[in-house]
Amino acid sequence: MDGPAPGSPTQERLLDDLRQVIENAEELLKNTDQYHGAPYQAARNKLAEALLAATEELARFETVHIDRMIELTAIASRLHRDLTGEAKLLRAFRRED
């Protein structure tokens, strides 16, 4: 996956923006249900298709992001020889003074 590193501020901002667009599109579809003319229905159908594609892409991206986080956590655990859940938690919250 090319682009910003997982969890980067730019990536997080883009994901938040995409979530907001999806929410707004869902609200628009819900609030325009009473319009029945052909142009309205065509526009609503296009929006519904785009909303479905955006939702699927967001879900795919979040799955990749979670898988990457799990992979990085496993690598860190092996690197630091964290054999127990307790060791992992203690290392995660250890202060580097």
Side-chain angles (χ1 to χ4, degrees), residues 45-95:
N45 289 341
K46 284 183 183 180
L47 181 58
E49 288 174 17
L51 180 58
L52 178 62
T55 302
E56 288 172 350
E57 183 63 16
L58 179 61
R60 184 199 65 78
F61 186 82
E62 287 175 336
T63 299
V64 168
H65 189 70
I66 288 170
D67 290 346
R68 181 71 176 142
M69 287 173 44
I70 291 169
E71 176 187 346
L72 291 173
T73 300
I75 290 169
S77 293
R78 285 192 303 272
L79 176 67
H80 295 280
R81 295 188 177 97
D82 295 335
L83 302 178
T84 66
E86 181 182 16
K88 292 174 188 177
L89 281 172
L90 289 173
R91 184 175 54 79
F93 291 102
R94 183 175 46 227
R95 287 187 169 172

Side-chain angles (χ1 to χ4, degrees), residues 13-30:
R13 191 170 49 249
L14 288 172
L15 285 174
D16 289 342
D17 289 348
L18 181 55
R19 287 183 192 103
Q20 186 64 49
V21 168
I22 289 170
E23 285 179 29
N24 291 343
E26 288 171 341
E27 190 71 21
L28 182 62
L29 281 175
K30 184 173 76 173

